[in-house]
């Protein structure tokens, strides 16, 4: 079930990143619209980072059974919020591409921080729930 979820998520992120990258290079090189082309290329590059994260989770590698027995590190907990934050920032850049540059940067930063914080908190709550389920309190 988890692998299917990650594959669906990686497919959607690959489609959106491909669209943004293609449209950005088309605007930049064919129509010579530097502002829109660079903004769409930046949005596509931010979503490509999330795509790579999804692929790493969809195909974990040979040592997946070893990682299941070891609790996740603090770095993996932080990264589980950072990469969805990159995707949110990419979509924010795309959505506000006709606004002023300071507004684009502010909305992308806010989307990154809010999404990263949300996924970080959700991961901490999930770890706490899993720890409580595996180690019930003794009475």
């Amino acid at each position: 079930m988890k692998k299917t979820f990650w594959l669906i998520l990686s497919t959607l992120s690959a489609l959106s990143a491909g669209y943004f990258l293609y449209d950005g290079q088309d605007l930049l090189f064919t129509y010579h619209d530097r502002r829109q082309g660079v903004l769409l290329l930046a949005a596509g590059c931010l979503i490509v980072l999330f795509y790579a994260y999804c692929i790493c989770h969809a195909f974990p590698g040979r040592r997946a059974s070893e990682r299941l027995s070891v609790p996740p590190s603090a770095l993996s907990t932080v990264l589980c919020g950072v990469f969805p934050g990159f995707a949110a920032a990419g979509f924010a850049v795309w959505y506000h591409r006709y606004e002023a540059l300071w507004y684009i940067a502010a909305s992308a930063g806010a989307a990154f921080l809010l999404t990263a914080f949300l996924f970080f908190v959700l991961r901490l709550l999930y770890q706490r729930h899993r720890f409580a389920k595996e180690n019930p309190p003794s009475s």
Side-chain angles (χ1 to χ4, degrees):
M1 182 68 185
K2 278 186 177 182
K3 185 174 183 173
T4 306
F5 171 74
W6 284 110
L7 286 174
I8 290 171
L9 205 56
S10 65
T11 303
L12 291 175
S13 63
L15 288 173
S16 60
Y19 170 73
F20 292 152
L21 290 173
Y22 175 76
D23 201 27
Q25 69 86 23
D26 195 33
L27 284 170
L28 187 62
F29 298 120
T30 305
Y31 297 109
H32 302 291
D33 186 4
R34 281 182 244 136
R35 184 177 191 273
Q36 294 298 317
V38 169
L39 287 174
L40 284 176
L41 286 174
C45 289
L46 288 170
I47 296 172
V48 163
L49 294 172
F50 180 64
Y51 167 72
Y53 178 74
C54 291
I55 288 296
C56 288
H57 277 282
F59 304 106
R62 290 187 292 174
R63 297 189 210 175
S65 59
E66 295 173 10
R67 281 193 298 237
L68 292 176
S69 61
V70 178
S73 66
L75 179 64
S76 70
T77 304
V78 169
L79 290 180
C80 95
V82 168
F83 286 103
F86 284 142
F91 282 112
V93 167
W94 169 73
Y95 187 75
H96 297 291
R97 67 187 180 270
Y98 297 119
E99 302 293 335
L101 287 178
W102 69 269
Y103 188 78
I104 294 170
S107 65
F112 174 80
L113 291 175
L114 289 175
T115 306
F117 179 73
L118 175 71
F119 276 87
F120 177 72
V121 168
L122 288 175
R123 175 74 179 249
L124 288 177
L125 291 176
Y126 172 73
Q127 287 175 356
R128 179 181 288 175
H129 173 70
R130 195 172 106 194
F131 180 76
K133 190 192 306 185
E134 291 175 357
N135 304 323
S138 58
S139 39

